[in-house]
Amino acid sequence: MEKIVSLAKRRGFIFQSSEIYGGLNSCWDYGPLGVELKNNVKRAWWRRMVQERDDMVGQDASILMHPRVWEASGHLEGFTDPLVDCKQCRQRFRADHVTGKTCPECGGELTEPRNFNLMFKTFMGPVEDQAAVVYLRPETAQGIFVNFNNILTTTRKRLPFGVAQIGKSFRNEITPGNFTFRTREFEQMEIEYFVKPGTDEEHFHKWVETRYKWYKELGISPERLRLRPHAQDELAHYAKACVDIEYYFPMGWSELEGIANRTDYDLKRHAEYSGNKLEYFDQELNEHYVPYVIEPSAGADRATLAFLLDAYHEEPDKDEIRVVLRFHPELAPVKVAVLPLSRKEPLTDMAKEISQELRRHWNTEYDDAKSIGRRYRRQDEIGTPFCVTVDFQSPEDQTVTVRDRDTMEQTRLSVAELVPYLREKLDNR
Ligand code: ATP
């Protein structure tokens, strides 16, 4: 993990938030390469989960919602962690993280556990009183449930169908940490998939498979990926089943995503609290009922971290070590780098022209600084799948070499062949 944190900072993937002020605990900023990587992760999710499926639509709900939403969802009452305080050093711990009644830091006496709500609270409008209290959403899911009728009437979808959303969520976590694994502000990628009761188990298993495959297809090593079904006593009272997709992070196996069969709990609760019916009319059966829902809920930051960790490789290279991020081409922040062998014309002119053309298709970098070997190393370290080198022969016969990040092989091509060649390698799925 330390190597990734340091590479992430050195190359501009992830910086500490407000660093010049000493940083803000557990908040992180995505730099120029990080934002590309995370956007690619979100895009790869949206493309496969929404755009390539006929049974899915998307939405983007606001972060602030009516406070009654959190009463109905159970977050106001139940979204808590039991906490204990040390009477001596005043440090606070999660009760389930300490054993015994003494402080793990100073040995002082601990208080009895008290419930601590994880939702961030703020005020809407100029008056800071109880009536103005609103919450930053702790999950994106509720924005989908409250729009159930709107989506049903505007899309005229038939069951089974799902709604997807990507967005920020906030939780006042007591023990954030492990870089971007657990933070207080994070991004979720969530799906609520509505099904006819009785077909829920079949759809639940399909979603577990679909989501597992997504990580694998985008390059996560299968030996670092596993499914962990929840034991009966681990399940929320309304959930019929839950499976976590776990990744073998440096701190051990940890949750990447949870897939839950939430039954008809959420729609029924919102119907009860809002006084609006949230039902589906089944034309075949000629009856109304409340659909069951399967919820695959993933973290965009956790997925990005897993892709980053999994891509990291160190290899012996002559007397040195080659660091290479073996990103799947779809996720690589930069797809192609154009490197003129020298800073002299006509090489630079030709290289600039080529990079301008490639930019129309892919995120492309132009780099003419330092030796060609150093530039290849730099591109390896940020995971660029291909480097196009413009050398002294290039202006004479309109050819360039293309270097493959993984094999390090170089292929000589005519400039006219470049785009189709790269398209085949980068966009072929
Ligand atoms: P954990 O047990 O790790 O706290 P959770 O079971 O509370 O997670 P869910 O409520 O199921 O998490 O949220 C779904 C997904 O959202 C998680 O699998 C994770 O990828 C992401 N997520 C949740 N909390 C955080 C957080 N504090 N920081 C980053 N990502 C998070």
Side-chain angles (χ1 to χ4, degrees):
M1 187 72 100
E2 274 133 51
K3 280 184 179 167
I4 288 295
V5 175
S6 127
L7 173 81
K9 173 163 181 171
R10 193 171 69 249
R11 290 304 190 203
F13 283 92
I14 302 173
F15 310 122
Q16 199 181 11
S17 156
S18 324
E19 194 184 333
I20 60 167
Y21 288 99
L24 181 63
N25 187 20
S26 102
C27 293
W28 301 94
D29 296 346
Y30 288 81
L33 293 177
V35 68
E36 296 290 343
L37 174 63
K38 191 170 154 186
N39 278 344
N40 291 344
V41 169
K42 291 189 281 185
R43 203 173 291 128
W45 185 87
W46 194 265
R47 190 184 285 168
R48 284 171 183 73
M49 298 302 123
V50 184
Q51 294 175 335
E52 291 179 6
R53 298 179 60 125
D54 198 32
D55 57 347
M56 292 287 302
V57 293
Q59 69 154 51
D60 183 16
S62 94
I63 288 174
L64 302 174
M65 300 178 73
H66 196 290
R68 289 275 285 167
V69 167
W70 310 112
E71 286 176 38
S73 71
H75 282 86
L76 261 181
E77 205 182 327
F79 194 54
T80 54
D81 273 343
L83 280 191
V84 289
D85 292 291
C86 172
K87 290 180 182 168
Q88 198 164 301
C89 73
R90 306 257 165 235
Q91 278 210 67
R92 190 166 260 195
F93 307 93
R94 256 169 71 166
D96 58 341
H97 285 179
V98 292
T99 52
K101 293 222 168 240
T102 50
C103 172
E105 291 293 324
C106 74
E109 193 192 341
L110 295 174
T111 60
E112 286 300 311
R114 286 180 300 131
N115 277 341
F116 173 78
N117 195 294
L118 301 182
M119 278 200 295
F120 277 93
K121 217 189 246 187
T122 188
F123 300 97
M124 198 141 151
V127 186
E128 295 196 359
D129 65 9
Q130 191 52 35
V133 168
V134 288
Y135 301 90
L136 304 190
R137 67 180 176 206
E139 60 175 38
T140 56
Q142 301 303 325
I144 298 178
F145 295 127
V146 300
N147 276 316
F148 179 76
N149 283 346
N150 284 335
I151 289 181
L152 202 55
T153 49
T154 52
T155 65
R156 293 179 297 144
K157 284 276 174 207
R158 299 273 179 85
L159 290 187
F161 75 92
V163 186
Q165 170 158 324
I166 298 178
K168 289 261 176 154
S169 292
F170 301 81
R171 297 180 188 179
N172 203 358
E173 301 273 6
I174 295 141
T175 44
N178 289 316
F179 198 26
T180 52
F181 178 83
R182 189 182 306 284
T183 54
R184 295 192 172 110
E185 171 182 343
F186 54 95
E187 225 167 338
Q188 290 187 306
M189 308 186 288
E190 293 197 296
I191 293 168
E192 304 304 331
Y193 194 75
F194 301 101
V195 306
K196 184 175 166 191
T199 64
D200 48 307
E201 289 182 20
E202 168 202 334
H203 287 293
F204 174 74
H205 292 296
K206 266 198 206 157
W207 273 109
V208 171
E209 212 175 286
T210 301
R211 293 301 307 140
Y212 182 86
K213 229 172 88 191
W214 184 82
Y215 292 101
K216 226 175 71 178
E217 275 181 7
L218 289 168
I220 297 275
S221 331
E223 64 275 15
R224 293 182 157 260
L225 209 53
R226 74 174 188 194
L227 298 176
R228 191 183 70 80
H230 283 209
Q232 211 58 36
D233 61 0
E234 239 184 306
L235 291 176
H237 66 275
Y238 49 81
K240 204 166 141 185
C242 187
V243 168
D244 284 347
I245 300 180
E246 294 189 335
Y247 179 71
Y248 192 60
F249 284 95
M251 64 280 187
W253 288 102
S254 309
E255 175 180 334
L256 260 183
E257 164 162 359
I259 298 134
N261 179 345
R262 298 179 63 94
T263 69
D264 54 8
Y265 176 79
D266 306 275
L267 289 179
K268 278 195 169 154
R269 287 278 287 196
H270 284 299
E272 181 191 335
Y273 278 70
S274 69
N276 284 290
K277 275 197 179 141
L278 299 173
E279 290 178 348
Y280 175 75
F281 179 66
D282 191 319
Q283 287 175 349
E284 273 167 40
L285 298 178
N286 197 26
E287 69 179 51
H288 286 92
Y289 54 78
V290 181
Y292 268 34
V293 67
I294 310 300
E295 177 187 80
S297 170
D301 308 271
R302 270 191 204 177
T304 302
L305 179 60
F307 286 120
L308 197 54
L309 286 162
D310 211 80
Y312 186 88
H313 288 82
E314 287 180 359
E315 302 168 348
D317 179 37
K318 294 183 197 120
D319 301 334
E320 292 181 5
I321 288 190
R322 177 169 100 111
V323 171
V324 51
L325 292 180
R326 295 195 191 282
F327 287 126
H328 186 285
E330 199 174 333
L331 300 185
V334 178
K335 313 289 188 211
V336 203
V338 180
L339 318 172
L341 202 56
S342 114
R343 271 188 173 163
K344 296 208 177 75
E345 285 176 18
L347 264 62
T348 47
D349 275 356
M350 185 174 173
K352 278 184 187 152
E353 212 171 285
I354 290 172
S355 72
Q356 215 46 46
E357 167 65 17
L358 295 181
R359 267 175 221 282
R360 296 174 52 224
H361 305 273
W362 303 285
N363 196 27
T364 304
E365 260 194 17
Y366 176 87
D367 184 9
D368 63 6
K370 304 213 173 113
S371 78
I372 191 76
R374 299 265 298 263
R375 282 182 269 163
Y376 285 149
R377 290 292 166 273
R378 185 177 174 277
Q379 295 300 331
D380 288 343
E381 219 186 5
I382 65 171
T384 307
F386 294 101
C387 289
V388 173
T389 309
V390 178
D391 58 22
F392 295 99
Q393 192 187 323
S394 302
E396 283 166 25
D397 63 1
Q398 294 295 306
T399 63
V400 289
T401 60
V402 179
R403 174 186 177 271
D404 181 305
R405 174 196 70 196
D406 297 333
T407 62
M408 294 199 277
E409 270 169 24
Q410 305 204 14
T411 312
R412 192 137 207 129
L413 295 176
S414 75
V415 174
E417 286 172 302
L418 198 51
V419 168
Y421 178 85
L422 291 172
R423 180 169 293 137
E424 167 70 23
K425 303 264 181 188
L426 289 169
D427 302 343
N428 194 9
R429 287 185 35 206

